[in-house]
Amino acid sequence: MGQDEFLFLLMGLKWTVALSVVGFVCGCIAGLGIALARTCGSRPVETVVSGYIAIFQGTPLLMQLFVVYYGLALIGIKVDAWVAVSVGLTLHASAYLGEIWRGAIEAVPKGQTEASKALALSYVSRMKDVVLPQALRISLPATIGFLVQLIKGTSLASIVGFTELTRAGNIISNQIFQPLTVFGIVGILYFIMCCPLTIYGAHLERKFAASAR
Amino acid sequence: MSDISTTKASAETMISMTGVAKWYGAFQALNDINVSVRKGEKIVLCGPSGSGKSTLIRCINHLEAYQQGEIRVGGILLGHQAKSIDAVRREVGMVFQQFNLFPHLTVLQNCMLAPMRALGLGKAEAEGRARQLLERVKIAEQAEKYPAQLSGGQQQRVAIARALCMRPQVMLFDEPTSALDPEMVKEVLDTMIDLAREGMTMICVTHEMGFARQVADRVIFMASGAIVEEAPPVEFFSNPKHERTRKFLGEILGH
């Protein structure tokens, strides 16, 4: 495998990183909304939102990407593959992160909310200053774990024809007929992205476990 | 003449609860509660566990919603709309059994948060107020520490300072010494006694009968969600009228 082929893989890697970042950042923003709606105390809102979460947790990411990609085209919205994939990943991430953070918000002791209510803090301040900082801390290991899943999940974007790392590997492998070498390198590239995150997550978990004692 | 006296009385009334009732589903937690607390008055609420005493004081700042009757705090009618609830909460400080300090903020930040967010104070003013009140509860030197680095008694004194930073007209204490190791009870009670001497209106749910004798203007005894008896402490302890009060006092003072 020559330099050109390797550079082509790196181009794919760039798109994998871009997709992961967009999916994660947009997923975080939407996921925060989901988590807050899921804990807002209004039964109808919570039911609708838990339905949303159930749909995205109960179906394969691949199917979600198909539905968004072909679905958007079907209702007349013509978008690039990469926009469709970003939207799909965002929806997927928002459901998972929303559920992770809902758990974390509920894990913050009830006394914290009561104390902030007794101090006349508004809902926004209660969440922003008291509950979310503590919930974020609780959820950090799980959030990082999900980020790792999401990075690997972007490989499914190859199915709808988006040239990220996996599809780049596929193309090269078809050209030079060395699938083992090519996918070995592709695997190593994924590993280099994910492994430090996993180690960092485990480190945070240990750190918080120690400080909780 | 009578008009003037009622106006005067209501001006001095800090908290009035009239016919307040509350249910958890089918269980009636509070039954026809009528309490009037004058400005500067110190009330000790006692009773067996499950008698509704915590529920009662938690209704005063609407941590629990009540379903019947009327509560007024400093002239504000406590309805169920956010506006009146916030107005009441700005006037009412509360100290909890489990302290409920914010663990991710330093002692100083714990005290500054609500004055800045709920009263709109600037940072410098909030900090000045916080340091002054931490001084008053004799814990100023711990201002930069986090709650977990303090003892239980210190944490509870910080919680008192945090509530006082809102300059409340009323302080509610919900079993403030029940979660403390015995050797730390005194420092918290001393802080509360100081506060009482300075003229704060206080309602304390507590089993510390020594504190009740020393500080309370009135002791209210509750059982099964209703007020059974209320009397000045001397009378309450020496001559309890109701059978349930005698039984309760026998149980907590009898060893």
Side-chain angles (χ1 to χ4, degrees):
Chain A
M1 194 171 96
Q3 202 188 0
D4 286 349
E5 284 85 6
F6 188 66
L7 281 176
F8 190 76
L9 285 186
L10 289 184
M11 285 294 289
L13 175 69
K14 189 185 81 181
W15 284 109
T16 290
V17 171
L19 269 186
S20 303
V21 170
V22 169
F24 189 67
V25 170
C26 298
C28 278
I29 294 164
L32 182 62
I34 297 287
L36 291 175
R38 189 71 178 76
T39 54
C40 71
S42 151
R43 197 49 79 68
V45 173
E46 291 186 12
T47 309
V48 169
V49 173
S50 59
Y52 175 88
I53 292 170
I55 288 170
F56 283 94
Q57 287 197 335
T59 56
L61 173 58
L62 180 59
M63 193 219 76
Q64 295 162 18
L65 293 180
F66 273 143
V67 168
V68 173
Y69 184 65
Y70 295 111
L72 284 178
L74 212 66
I75 58 172
I77 304 172
K78 194 93 182 80
V79 290
D80 275 359
W82 102 268
V83 174
V85 170
S86 297
V87 170
L89 286 172
T90 297
L91 294 174
H92 176 79
S94 72
Y96 272 88
L97 290 172
E99 190 66 358
I100 289 171
W101 293 343
R102 174 203 57 83
I105 287 170
E106 285 173 356
V108 174
K110 217 171 141 236
Q112 295 290 310
T113 304
E114 288 186 348
S116 25
K117 281 183 178 173
L119 286 164
L121 294 179
S122 64
Y123 173 80
V124 172
S125 170
R126 235 154 52 213
M127 281 297 165
K128 180 170 72 73
D129 298 318
V130 177
V131 176
L132 289 179
Q134 297 183 57
L136 194 71
R137 218 180 130 99
I138 294 168
S139 72
L140 216 44
T143 304
I144 290 173
F146 176 74
L147 175 58
V148 171
Q149 294 290 332
L150 189 71
I151 291 171
K152 292 184 288 183
T154 58
S155 64
L156 294 173
S158 61
I159 304 288
V160 296
F162 184 76
T163 310
E164 42 63 72
L165 182 53
T166 299
R167 191 165 141 85
N170 215 347
I171 291 166
I172 298 295
S173 144
N174 286 343
Q175 280 173 2
I176 63 174
F177 306 111
Q178 293 172 346
L180 202 61
T181 317
V182 174
F183 283 110
I185 291 170
V186 167
I188 289 168
L189 289 174
Y190 275 112
F191 187 79
I192 291 170
M193 282 188 288
C194 295
C195 187
L197 285 170
T198 306
I199 291 169
Y200 182 58
H203 163 76
L204 286 177
E205 208 162 44
R206 272 196 308 277
K207 196 173 128 191
F208 292 158
S211 73
R213 253 187 272 130
Chain B
M1 190 63 189
S2 66
D3 268 15
I4 294 166
S5 67
T6 44
T7 334
K8 200 183 168 201
S10 66
E12 286 185 347
T13 300
M14 187 56 80
I15 298 172
S16 73
M17 302 177 82
T18 321
V20 171
K22 174 177 179 61
W23 287 264
Y24 292 111
F27 173 73
Q28 186 162 16
L30 292 177
N31 181 7
D32 190 26
I33 300 292
N34 294 287
V35 180
S36 178
V37 182
R38 293 188 315 276
K39 191 167 164 41
E41 203 177 9
K42 290 99 187 98
I43 307 283
V44 163
L45 254 181
C46 62
S49 83
S51 60
K53 50 200 194 305
S54 283
T55 309
L56 190 154
I57 66 165
R58 288 161 61 88
C59 280
I60 295 172
N61 63 355
H62 209 278
L63 286 184
E64 304 280 356
Y66 60 101
Q67 279 111 30
Q68 242 175 48
E70 188 182 286
I71 299 180
R72 280 177 187 277
V73 181
I76 307 160
L77 175 63
L78 176 64
H80 300 295
Q81 323 78 4
K83 207 176 162 195
S84 75
I85 294 171
D86 277 349
V88 165
R89 284 176 180 165
R90 280 194 288 271
E91 304 298 335
V92 178
M94 190 173 211
V95 175
F96 299 87
Q97 183 176 354
Q98 299 296 341
F99 328 135
N100 295 348
L101 293 176
F102 305 135
H104 60 299
L105 301 178
T106 64
V107 164
L108 188 66
Q109 289 166 338
N110 262 277
C111 294
M112 288 167 62
L113 180 64
M116 288 170 70
R117 293 286 189 271
L119 302 180
L121 257 58
K123 199 170 175 226
E125 197 183 353
E127 181 172 343
R129 194 185 271 198
R131 289 199 186 274
Q132 183 199 338
L133 283 157
L134 288 170
E135 186 77 47
R136 186 161 143 193
V137 301
K138 304 183 182 70
I139 206 155
E141 70 285 358
Q142 316 279 10
E144 321 303 331
K145 289 194 179 168
Y146 285 88
Q149 296 169 281
L150 305 183
S151 73
Q154 290 174 323
Q155 289 192 45
Q156 195 60 302
R157 284 187 283 145
V158 171
I160 293 172
R162 177 177 72 173
L164 291 175
C165 281
M166 293 289 283
R167 302 240 167 107
Q169 300 204 54
V170 181
M171 285 285 283
L172 307 174
F173 291 86
D174 191 0
E175 305 206 25
T177 57
S178 301
L180 294 174
D181 291 334
E183 73 272 21
M184 292 168 185
V185 170
K186 189 175 177 298
E187 62 183 79
V188 171
L189 289 180
D190 285 347
T191 308
M192 291 167 65
I193 290 167
D194 285 347
L195 194 61
R197 290 214 178 101
E198 287 161 27
M200 178 62 77
T201 310
M202 292 162 64
I203 303 184
C204 313
V205 173
T206 181
H207 294 296
E208 297 291 337
M209 291 300 132
F211 173 81
R213 275 182 220 269
Q214 196 180 343
V215 171
D217 296 305
R218 252 190 301 158
V219 181
I220 297 179
F221 175 73
M222 287 182 73
S224 314
I227 293 176
V228 174
E229 182 162 352
E230 54 177 296
V234 176
E235 199 184 321
F236 181 83
F237 290 111
S238 61
N239 188 21
K241 290 189 180 53
H242 203 283
E243 175 54 36
R244 293 182 85 164
T245 319
R246 280 197 288 274
K247 186 161 170 277
F248 175 75
L249 286 174
E251 274 160 12
I252 63 164
L253 300 172
H255 52 85

